[in-house]
Amino acid sequence: AQRVTQPEKLLSVFKGAPVELKCNYSYSGSPELFWYVQYSRQRLQLLLRHISRESIKGFTADLNKGETSFHLKKPFAQEEDSAMYYCALGTSYGKLTFGQGTILTVHP
Amino acid sequence: DTAVSQTPKYLVTQMGNDKSIKCEQNLGHDTMYWYKQDSKKFLKIMFSYNNKELIINETVPNRFSPKSPDKAHLNLHINSLELGDSAVYFCASSQDRLSPGGPNYGYTFGSGTRLTVV
């Protein structure tokens, strides 16, 4: 069975500091991993997908199959990055298994 | 235009009542989902429909019954509501459910329905 773990429920950093949101997964198949973000009073939206190897809003995430991790990183956090972040694992049935979420707060 | 819309946004009801939440998407997607977000913000899939056909049915009490009159709509009916049903229910849709690595895989979410059972 697939499983996604985000060990930090809360993460606080100061503006301009680097930030890393941790995500570990467990899956017997070939993993497809995503990061979703939910800003205050807004709906969940896709931030990153590992297959795209893209950088969105300065965030990047690298899939490390050896460590079964997909940590989300940004070198310089901004106040507008404050939000709930979910790591998710996708399967071929369209099912996304979400982690518990991490609330990121960026202080001025 | 809202891509995935849910109604109502808030729902407060008494134990034992029956209620429905509606979801509509105008994206032309074939697959729709219901997720439950509990008080700890944990998101867990409940159901998935593809072209009106049920394809994912996680361990959910029989009191929950999804209905898909067409591929643009997926409603959730809940019978005999219990206190533990209080949560935020999210509807979502996706264009491609078979290729997790493809460009069209991934969800578009609705804004959620906050259900409070008292």
Side-chain angles (χ1 to χ4, degrees):
Chain A
Q2 57 265 38
R3 186 172 181 170
V4 178
T5 303
Q6 293 177 249
E8 303 139 329
K9 188 152 181 69
L10 302 169
L11 185 61
S12 289
V13 299
F14 285 99
K15 178 182 172 181
V19 63
E20 181 181 54
L21 290 83
K22 290 184 167 46
C23 172
N24 289 89
Y25 66 90
S26 173
Y27 183 51
S28 57
S30 182
E32 299 292 347
L33 287 151
F34 307 82
W35 277 98
Y36 280 79
V37 61
Q38 187 176 27
Y39 299 103
S40 179
R41 300 184 186 281
Q42 294 186 29
R43 64 191 65 205
L44 270 151
Q45 53 190 289
L46 180 65
L47 179 65
L48 277 181
R49 49 194 308 132
H50 97 266
I51 200 74
S52 303
R53 294 186 171 274
E54 58 202 341
S55 173
I56 303 293
K57 300 184 179 181
F59 284 98
T60 59
D62 290 319
L63 177 61
N64 186 324
K65 292 187 179 181
E67 296 182 357
T68 60
S69 68
F70 188 56
H71 303 325
L72 183 69
K73 300 177 184 178
K74 184 168 182 176
F76 307 104
Q78 303 299 314
E79 289 178 69
E80 55 265 30
D81 296 329
S82 296
M84 169 75 96
Y85 290 81
Y86 287 96
C87 182
L89 172 69
T91 70
S92 60
Y93 293 101
K95 175 181 172 181
L96 281 178
T97 298
F98 286 87
Q100 303 93 315
T102 298
I103 299 173
L104 173 65
T105 303
V106 181
H107 300 285
Chain B
D1 282 347
T2 303
V4 181
S5 59
Q6 295 179 230
T7 54
K9 198 171 175 65
Y10 300 96
L11 183 55
V12 181
T13 187
Q14 290 186 325
M15 281 175 54
N17 283 351
D18 303 338
K19 290 293 179 185
S20 292
I21 307 171
K22 295 185 177 182
C23 179
E24 176 181 5
Q25 55 96 3
N26 62 5
L27 298 165
H29 290 172
D30 290 334
T31 309
M32 296 183 72
Y33 311 82
W34 277 110
Y35 273 75
K36 179 180 179 180
Q37 186 183 47
D38 62 22
S39 58
K40 297 183 179 179
K41 303 290 187 183
F42 186 56
L43 271 168
K44 187 170 166 57
I45 192 167
M46 301 174 70
F47 302 103
S48 170
Y49 268 74
N50 178 258
N51 272 321
K52 303 192 296 177
E53 180 184 351
L54 180 66
I55 55 171
I56 294 177
N57 183 357
E58 294 289 295
T59 306
V60 176
N62 291 337
R63 298 180 295 103
F64 290 80
S65 54
K67 286 184 173 54
S68 182
D70 54 63
K71 75 173 191 176
H73 296 83
L74 180 61
N75 304 323
L76 183 65
H77 188 75
I78 316 171
N79 289 325
S80 304
L81 278 154
E82 301 177 357
L83 293 176
D85 298 332
S86 296
V88 180
Y89 292 84
F90 284 99
C91 178
S93 71
S94 67
Q95 183 174 353
D96 180 1
R97 67 179 176 89
L98 296 178
S99 307
N104 296 318
Y105 189 96
Y107 294 173
T108 299
F109 278 92
S111 55
T113 296
R114 183 175 294 277
L115 171 66
T116 304
V117 183
V118 297

